């Protein structure tokens, strides 16, 4: 089971990857939306903001936050680490229910190039 530190490190790597992205990926990440990533096995949620191609102001809250983010991901810590590390395919994980994504249809269409 991934630790909270390993999950935070994975999110930091994802943020760095987005900041360095170019082309379509950079364009897709340029939206301004609230973002959360719930880690089910740790009962923790990372909350922050996707803005200008960066993930900013990330904090950790216990359980599920009262305010719902515009883009919400839910998965285990191990799956987060594997996704960011390139060991788990997002589409397959999403299709099998290992990863859940909740967002507006327009956001999902823009995010597909990121994930």
């Amino acid at each position: 089971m991934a630790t909270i530190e390993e999950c935070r490190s994975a999110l930091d790597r994802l943020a760095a990857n987005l900041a360095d992205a170019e082309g379509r990926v950079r364009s897709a990440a340029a939206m301004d939306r609230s973002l959360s990533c719930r880690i089910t096995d740790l009962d923790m949620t990372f909350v922050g903001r996707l803005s200008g191609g960066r993930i900013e102001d990330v904090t950790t809250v216990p359980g599920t936050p009262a305010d719902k983010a515009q883009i919400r991901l839910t998965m285990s810590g191990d799956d987060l680490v594997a996704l960011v590390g390139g060991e788990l395919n997002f589409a397959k994980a999403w299709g099998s229910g290992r990863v859940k994504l909740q967002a507006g249809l327009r956001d999902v269409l823009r995010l597909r190039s990121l994930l």
Side-chain angles (χ1 to χ4, degrees), residues 24 28 31 104-114:
R24 284 183 30 176
M31 64 177 94
L105 180 59
R106 179 176 272 170
D107 290 340
V108 170
L109 293 174
R110 287 187 72 187
L111 287 170
R112 68 183 173 185
S113 64
L114 293 177

Side-chain angles (χ1 to χ4, degrees), residues 6 20 22 26 61 64 93:
E6 290 170 321
D20 293 339
E22 296 178 1
R26 179 76 173 175
V61 296
T64 304

Side-chain angles (χ1 to χ4, degrees), residues 3 13 24 42 50 61 99 102:
T3 65
R13 279 193 315 265
R24 284 183 30 176
L42 297 175
L50 179 61
V61 296
V99 173
Q102 296 174 299

